[in-house]
Amino acid sequence: MTKQEYTLTIYTENKVGIIGRIVILFSRKKINIESISGSPSEVAGIFRFTILINESEEVVRKVCRQLEKQVDILKAYFNTNSEIVWQEQALFKVATEKVTEGADVERLARIYGARAVVIRNDYTVFETSGHTEDIDKLTEALANFGLIEFVRSGRIAIIKNSEGFHKKLKEFEREEPAPEVKENEFLDKQDKVFTM
Amino acid sequence: MNTVETKNEDSKTATETVAKTQISGSQAVLEALLAEGIETVFGYPGGAIMPIYDALYDYNDKLKHILVRHEQGGIHAAQGFARTSGKVGVVFATSGPGATNLITGLADAMIDSNPIVCITGQVFAHLLGTDAFQETDVINITTPVTKWNYQVTEASEIPEALAKAFYIARSGRPGPVLIDITKNAQVQLFDYLGYKPCSHIRSYRPKPIVRNKHIQEAADLINQAKKPLVLFGQGVILGKAEKEFKEFIEKSGIPAAWTVMGLSALETDHPQNVGMLGMHGNYAPNVLTNECDVLIAIGMRFDDRVTGRLDKYAKQAKIIHLDIDPAEIDKNVKTTVAVWGDCKETLPILTKLVDKKSHTDWLAHFRELEKEEVKEVIQEELNPSSDIMTMGEVVKVLNELTGGDAVIVTDVGQHQMVACRYAKFNQSKSNVTSGGLGTMGFGLPAAIGAWYGAPERPIVAIIGDGGFQMTLQELGTIMQFGAKVKILILNNEFLGMVRQWQQLFNDKRYSFVDITSPDFVTVAKGYHIDGQRISEREQLKDALKTMLDHPDSYLLEVMVGKENNVFPMVAQGSSVAEIRLK
């Protein structure tokens, strides 16, 4: 079966260590995760991970079933690129003298819709978002102007056809609010704790 | 945080009641176990779990603690307990090496779906991640081999964490759960509000919703089938659906074959029981898997040891798969109709919809092939023409003496396959074996646990000379706590299964399979366990009888043929239909 890009959207409880339970299901099958990003979802109390992998549909389907089987995972979706709207964000740091030298950097920024978020005497930071290829192109172009630092986020994606699930999710959280996240409160308290 | 409100003699207010209900995290652990109906715990103490053991001192009359000799023994015992009792097995271990010694058992329990709750001690919460003494990252190490795990760093979390642990371990497709409790949480006092069992977790759906439409589709396929075949696994036992299963096959008249894990769910003598599937299974069900027109898999997961080569597995058949775990559907074998759900619920609906039939000719076909297997394999195995004893004849004589009422626990290897093939069972939950993981060393500790799970039944642990040496320290547990386990060592002076493969596939290059053994009877004697060793056929029946009649545990070592092989066999990379008889 042919491999292609699949974007997985995973709704989980917000719990210490949940990301570990997710990633081992990929590494166990020796699947490389191209990118991963996690944050709270549109419904407070429910976390959302977006994972990009290159695999056949059959493998992705099985991984999703294994994901959903985990106690703290609510739902796992997998979508091809045509079923989602997706973006990546990137930050570029360029020496300010290169930016002011000519019109080239400014022109590039206009073409790629990048905007300056910080301008200092010594450096300028641009920000842009788009598909992987767009960011690749801008990175390549800026390399000619002494790109000092570059960082890109993992893919984030909106599922085109997600209204139904969104409604269910909101109801789900309303009926049974998320349990409180318990963290280790004692890490910086060694002086005050008796040990043996 | 640990302050207890000072009593005010003048005004007896609510603060006093609160003060009175303060208990330690350790007490909360034990209260949780009692509330869950746990009477027996297998464990081994150590630094990080000492507060729980200290609390246990006061619970001695309510909770029986079996001190094993190694944590692996503890978890295998809990597995054996779970298998014969159908209840959750509980294990205590300390941090670091105590916890890492549980890993093999967790992996075994995970793949064989055993409900287990492990409670491990952990270093103080503020020391986590500092490489403290006996600190190991237990949560991350155990994540792939637990159904769920959780680290408790505060005493107040304990009742809820344990309630979830028991609920998750036993519900849906059961599995092992580990709760790691830091030492501060064990000693800390907190306001105890009682134990509330868990019956729901919002992100966890133990049972998929039963869809009648799919059951109807399955029934339609079954009703049209000319040569249907049922394959059943441990799901029938875990779902406590033996009765529902039997009603289904008896009404539909379909022959039923079992996986190693499904063994004993249907009595051996049932006229529709056509034997064991897979690599060393029976001839007829393997060959006819590739001849049936509808294959009905119930609570089994199409393990590669069952299916052989997948691209040549039952390609002609429509596949119906009943399973509680949606991740099992289409995992290995593509289904035509998937019936998600607990088979205790789905089977009765299916039974109602299927026509009453008796597939007499089709069933006769199995019996025909069985005759061939008897002629080529079984006859010689059970009634050998040579003077040297076979494993099969030992099991045969054992059957005659127990009548099929014993619990048979096995280790892993040739003796395991022989025991599964030939042991006779009258009732469910009678076969305890390491099916999925194939853990050598499982047998002896599992048998100890099996006895605590069903102390009224005879427990016979059939173990090879290799596997016995992996966990024989548990003889100490038997000596100290008196589990009445009958240990039957089938000694072929080889690591027999590997040797068999080396003979058949590696030109008899016997690479490190020639294992020497101590005098097992003397070893047992050192633990005050009676026993004897026999090598002559005429001694066999009496020796087995002595073993079974002995009031305590007993070790019988039987010397069997060194280079006997287990047949039939589906060689790796072969189709089940290519099963060889020699």
Side-chain angles (χ1 to χ4, degrees):
Chain A
M1 270 214 238
T2 50
K3 292 187 178 186
Q4 59 167 316
E5 278 191 346
Y6 279 97
T7 303
L8 281 73
T9 305
I10 305 159
Y11 291 93
T12 76
E13 294 291 1
N14 184 9
K15 197 194 130 184
V16 176
I18 184 72
I19 193 168
R21 251 193 201 271
I22 293 173
V23 297
I24 58 170
L25 290 172
F26 294 87
S27 53
R28 182 178 178 189
K29 288 172 178 278
K30 210 173 176 191
I31 297 170
N32 189 33
I33 291 176
E34 306 288 335
S35 87
I36 180 166
S37 86
S39 69
S41 72
E42 73 272 18
V43 178
I46 293 172
F47 234 65
R48 173 175 179 150
F49 289 91
T50 307
I51 293 180
L52 177 65
I53 62 171
N54 222 317
E55 259 306 334
S56 67
E57 188 186 330
E58 196 183 330
V59 171
V60 176
R61 188 185 304 274
K62 284 178 188 173
V63 170
C64 279
R65 286 211 175 137
Q66 294 291 344
L67 283 164
E68 284 189 353
K69 193 169 146 173
Q70 305 302 318
V71 171
D72 295 307
I73 293 180
L74 278 74
K75 189 77 195 157
Y77 289 100
F78 63 97
N79 294 100
T80 57
N81 289 347
S82 60
E83 295 163 345
I84 54 169
V85 178
W86 53 278
Q87 289 286 75
E88 283 172 15
Q89 192 179 30
L91 296 175
F92 306 87
K93 184 174 170 185
V94 184
T96 302
E97 54 176 35
K98 299 278 184 189
V99 181
T100 52
E101 237 170 37
D104 291 344
V105 173
E106 192 193 321
R107 206 181 68 235
L108 279 172
R110 280 178 192 282
I111 294 172
Y112 288 98
R115 61 189 183 94
V117 286
V118 168
I119 305 169
R120 289 177 35 143
N121 284 341
D122 46 349
Y123 63 82
T124 299
V125 176
F126 290 101
E127 174 272 344
T128 189
S129 60
H131 284 192
T132 320
E133 308 81 67
D134 305 332
I135 291 169
D136 283 348
K137 278 185 205 151
L138 180 57
T139 314
E140 228 169 85
L142 283 176
N144 301 325
F145 299 94
L147 186 60
I148 301 168
E149 198 182 330
F150 159 67
V151 63
R152 134 167 49 209
S153 74
R155 171 183 288 193
I156 53 171
I158 294 282
I159 302 170
K160 287 177 182 167
N161 187 12
S162 66
E163 205 184 333
F165 184 68
H166 169 77
K167 272 190 202 146
K168 259 193 247 168
L169 206 60
K170 268 181 87 168
E171 205 175 308
F172 181 79
E173 172 69 21
R174 191 173 44 79
E175 282 172 6
E176 254 184 281
E180 197 189 331
V181 186
K182 287 272 187 184
E183 284 185 66
N184 182 3
E185 291 173 18
F186 303 94
L187 276 178
D188 52 359
K189 297 201 169 65
Q190 47 263 64
D191 305 336
K192 297 176 192 96
V193 187
F194 163 79
T195 76
M196 232 314 260
Chain B
M1 124 187 76
N2 293 352
T3 48
V4 177
E5 298 279 345
T6 31
K7 284 184 190 173
N8 186 339
E9 289 298 330
D10 301 328
S11 56
K12 289 190 174 175
T13 54
T15 47
E16 196 185 327
T17 16
V18 171
K20 271 186 175 167
T21 57
Q22 282 222 325
I23 65 170
S24 71
S26 298
Q27 283 171 294
V29 169
L30 302 178
E31 287 296 330
L33 299 189
L34 291 178
E36 290 288 347
I38 302 300
E39 290 165 0
T40 311
V41 175
F42 303 92
Y44 206 102
I49 199 170
M50 274 185 64
I52 290 178
Y53 273 84
D54 183 58
L56 189 59
Y57 195 78
D58 296 326
Y59 282 74
N60 219 356
D61 51 336
K62 291 173 234 160
L63 267 175
K64 192 161 50 191
H65 176 275
I66 309 301
L67 176 67
V68 292
R69 294 302 186 264
H70 187 285
E71 289 85 354
Q72 186 189 350
I75 187 163
H76 288 333
Q79 293 179 270
F81 174 86
R83 294 281 288 274
T84 53
S85 69
K87 296 181 193 155
V88 178
V90 179
V91 187
F92 286 169
T94 195
S95 64
T100 56
N101 280 344
L102 296 175
I103 303 299
T104 304
L106 286 171
D108 196 289
M110 186 73 176
I111 200 164
D112 280 350
S113 311
N114 301 147
I116 303 291
V117 170
C118 291
I119 293 163
T120 51
Q122 180 56 282
V123 300
F124 285 85
H126 72 277
L127 292 175
L128 286 169
T130 65
D131 304 319
F133 177 65
Q134 290 193 330
E135 188 209 352
T136 187
D137 184 359
V138 175
I139 293 297
N140 281 310
I141 291 177
T142 58
T143 295
V145 288
T146 50
K147 186 174 172 187
W148 188 69
N149 59 11
Y150 186 74
Q151 185 171 60
V152 171
T153 50
E154 234 186 284
S156 61
E157 295 179 78
I158 287 174
E160 198 195 331
L162 282 177
K164 282 177 83 173
F166 278 96
Y167 173 57
I168 292 168
R170 78 162 90 82
S171 60
R173 179 176 179 175
V177 170
L178 183 138
I179 302 291
D180 193 39
I181 309 178
T182 58
K183 201 168 178 180
N184 59 298
Q186 296 171 39
V187 294
Q188 192 183 6
L189 297 172
F190 73 107
D191 295 336
Y192 183 58
L193 304 169
Y195 183 79
K196 286 181 216 72
C198 175
S199 59
H200 171 78
I201 296 168
R202 69 170 201 171
S203 57
Y204 169 58
R205 187 183 286 169
K207 289 180 192 176
I209 296 162
V210 173
R211 297 172 202 195
N212 287 309
K213 182 176 155 276
H214 294 164
I215 301 183
Q216 183 64 58
E217 285 168 20
D220 292 345
L221 278 181
I222 292 169
N223 288 338
Q224 287 155 22
K226 298 270 178 289
K227 299 174 179 179
L229 173 60
V230 163
L231 316 180
F232 65 98
Q234 196 194 194
V236 174
I237 301 171
L238 292 170
K240 300 181 173 61
E242 293 91 345
K243 190 175 138 271
E244 289 79 1
F245 172 73
K246 208 157 135 179
E247 282 165 4
F248 167 69
I249 61 159
E250 285 179 353
K251 184 177 179 197
S252 62
I254 305 174
W258 39 274
T259 71
V260 164
M261 295 302 292
L263 178 52
S264 84
L266 180 70
E267 65 266 22
T268 314
D269 290 339
H270 193 282
Q272 280 164 264
N273 187 333
V274 293
M276 171 169 153
L277 294 162
M279 188 170 268
H280 292 290
N282 291 108
Y283 188 57
N286 274 306
V287 170
L288 297 180
T289 293
N290 277 9
E291 224 172 276
C292 67
D293 55 1
V294 175
L295 197 69
I296 306 123
I298 304 173
M300 56 85 79
R301 58 185 179 84
F302 291 108
D303 180 74
D304 56 275
R305 285 296 192 266
V306 161
T307 64
R309 201 169 148 168
L310 265 184
D311 62 346
K312 289 185 180 173
Y313 183 77
K315 286 292 168 198
Q316 79 295 341
K318 298 256 183 357
I319 313 273
I320 299 169
H321 193 174
L322 288 80
D323 209 288
I324 198 165
D325 180 0
E328 288 301 338
I329 309 291
D330 291 339
K331 187 180 83 177
N332 296 331
V333 172
K334 271 254 176 275
T335 49
T336 318
V337 176
V339 179
W340 296 8
D342 183 343
C343 61
K344 179 119 185 146
E345 291 166 27
T346 54
L347 277 173
I349 308 174
L350 186 60
T351 306
K352 240 181 232 157
L353 296 174
V354 296
D355 300 338
K356 175 133 186 71
K357 276 191 188 168
S358 55
H359 291 275
T360 325
D361 293 348
W362 172 233
L363 200 57
H365 202 9
F366 284 84
R367 299 304 172 204
E368 282 298 306
L369 291 180
E370 189 184 315
K371 275 181 206 154
E372 216 170 309
E373 185 181 345
V374 168
K375 188 171 138 248
E376 298 288 338
V377 182
I378 299 174
Q379 175 62 25
E380 181 62 23
E381 179 68 30
L382 299 188
N383 310 289
S385 47
S386 118
D387 288 343
I388 299 161
M389 279 189 281
T390 63
M391 292 183 181
E393 73 174 312
V394 179
V395 176
K396 182 192 82 172
V397 177
L398 184 68
N399 285 339
E400 289 165 10
L401 294 170
T402 64
D405 290 330
V407 172
I408 303 289
V409 185
T410 77
D411 209 78
V412 167
Q414 284 186 317
H415 72 276
Q416 175 192 30
M417 291 297 107
V418 170
C420 288
R421 283 176 55 80
Y422 299 109
K424 204 177 146 212
F425 296 103
N426 299 331
Q427 56 171 303
S428 184
K429 296 200 202 70
S430 296
N431 178 53
V432 180
T433 193
S434 168
L437 201 68
T439 306
M440 281 179 74
F442 175 84
L444 182 63
I448 295 171
W451 183 79
Y452 286 100
E456 70 291 349
R457 301 186 60 191
I459 310 284
V460 180
I462 303 180
I463 309 180
D465 46 323
F468 188 67
Q469 291 187 62
M470 282 201 179
T471 47
L472 63 72
Q473 77 283 350
E474 298 306 333
L475 290 174
T477 309
I478 295 176
M479 170 182 71
Q480 188 172 355
F481 296 93
K484 292 176 181 37
V485 174
K486 313 298 178 184
I487 304 158
L488 175 55
I489 297 179
L490 300 181
N491 188 346
N492 59 3
E493 299 169 86
F494 265 123
L495 297 174
M497 189 57 94
V498 180
R499 188 211 52 75
Q500 174 171 343
W501 281 51
Q502 288 176 348
Q503 178 193 338
L504 297 175
F505 310 117
N506 294 354
D507 302 324
K508 267 197 170 189
R509 287 152 53 90
Y510 287 169
S511 184
F512 299 99
V513 288
D514 179 5
I515 188 169
T516 56
S517 294
D519 179 342
F520 291 126
V521 177
T522 305
V523 170
K525 204 175 164 200
Y527 285 99
H528 307 289
I529 295 168
D530 287 345
Q532 67 168 321
R533 175 193 207 190
I534 61 159
S535 48
E536 302 301 326
R537 180 163 296 128
E538 46 271 30
Q539 303 168 287
L540 180 61
K541 193 162 190 173
D542 282 348
L544 283 170
K545 206 165 169 337
T546 306
M547 175 185 88
L548 291 168
D549 292 345
H550 197 280
D552 294 313
S553 56
Y554 190 89
L555 184 143
L556 173 63
E557 180 185 5
V558 180
M559 304 307 290
V560 294
K562 281 190 74 165
E563 295 190 57
N564 291 354
N565 289 333
V566 188
F567 280 115
M569 179 176 193
V570 179
Q572 212 160 37
S574 301
S575 151
V576 284
E578 292 162 1
I579 185 167
R580 48 198 279 195
L581 287 167
K582 51 190 156 192

